[in-house]
Amino acid sequence: MQPQKTDLARTALQAHRAPLDMRQRRLLILCDGQRDLVQLGQLVGPETPAMVIQLIQSGYLVLSAVTPTAVPVPVTERRRSLVAARIYLLDILELQRHPQAAALFHTLQQARSDDAVMAALQTALDALPGLTSTGYAERVRQRLLEVLPKEHAERFQIALV
């Protein structure tokens, strides 16, 4: 079973008016219908199953069963997109609720060219360890590298060295 956001969850994530704490918001962002409970538990922690049940009961998540004929596609073969990477990091920055994160959010949101987006992604990732834990910042960086197109991910990894 793979938890997936409902329209209520998408609205709540955009509006910031729902009665969700930071951990619930983080879990909702990660519930994309691609990860199962085990994978989510590795990213969020041991309280994940209880949180998923609570979010299902509140109408924020639904469970989708993996069809037996569907072969899961490895992360490295999934469709990569600079837009997806940008949206992911925008969501992460929005969760931080810090003035510096808000400024980084605005910069990334305003970036139009691929080079400007890449520069804003790099700047945000460089600042993230100062806004949150180093381990969380590293998980965000790893996830970002998974969704970036390969040519951007390679360029991005070179910049990180």
Side-chain angles (χ1 to χ4, degrees):
M1 298 292 212
Q2 298 170 324
Q4 190 171 346
K5 287 185 269 306
T6 63
D7 289 337
L8 177 64
R10 287 182 198 86
T11 302
L13 288 171
Q14 291 175 347
H16 290 290
R17 291 199 173 92
L20 300 171
D21 63 30
M22 183 183 281
R23 294 185 64 78
Q24 290 171 321
R25 291 182 63 78
R26 187 175 298 145
L27 179 60
L28 279 180
I29 289 168
L30 293 169
C31 288
D32 57 3
Q34 302 295 318
R35 295 180 181 93
D36 62 22
L37 288 175
V38 173
Q39 293 167 318
L40 290 168
Q42 292 170 343
L43 295 169
V44 178
E47 68 281 355
T48 300
M51 288 173 55
V52 167
I53 290 168
Q54 181 185 19
L55 290 170
I56 289 171
Q57 291 172 342
S58 300
Y60 293 106
L61 290 175
V62 293
L63 289 178
S64 61
V66 179
T67 57
T69 57
V71 176
V73 178
V75 172
T76 55
E77 294 180 24
R78 286 188 194 143
R79 184 170 227 174
R80 294 170 171 260
S81 160
L82 188 57
V83 172
R86 181 181 182 185
I87 290 170
Y88 171 70
L89 201 53
L90 283 169
D91 286 343
I92 295 297
L93 290 169
E94 198 170 29
L95 284 172
Q96 301 313 306
R97 307 279 186 161
H98 187 279
Q100 184 182 3
L104 293 165
F105 177 93
H106 181 72
T107 301
L108 181 56
Q109 191 176 41
Q110 298 302 314
R112 296 293 172 239
S113 70
D114 287 359
D115 288 337
V117 170
M118 289 298 292
L121 290 173
Q122 179 68 54
T123 302
L125 274 186
D126 289 345
L128 203 54
L131 303 173
T132 185
S133 73
T134 305
Y136 180 71
E138 179 58 25
R139 287 192 303 273
V140 169
R141 185 182 76 76
Q142 289 299 324
R143 178 67 180 131
L144 196 63
L145 290 174
E146 289 175 5
V147 297
L148 276 170
K150 289 184 181 186
E151 65 274 10
H152 292 298
E154 288 169 4
R155 211 171 87 196
F156 199 65
Q157 285 178 313
I158 291 168
L160 290 172
V161 173

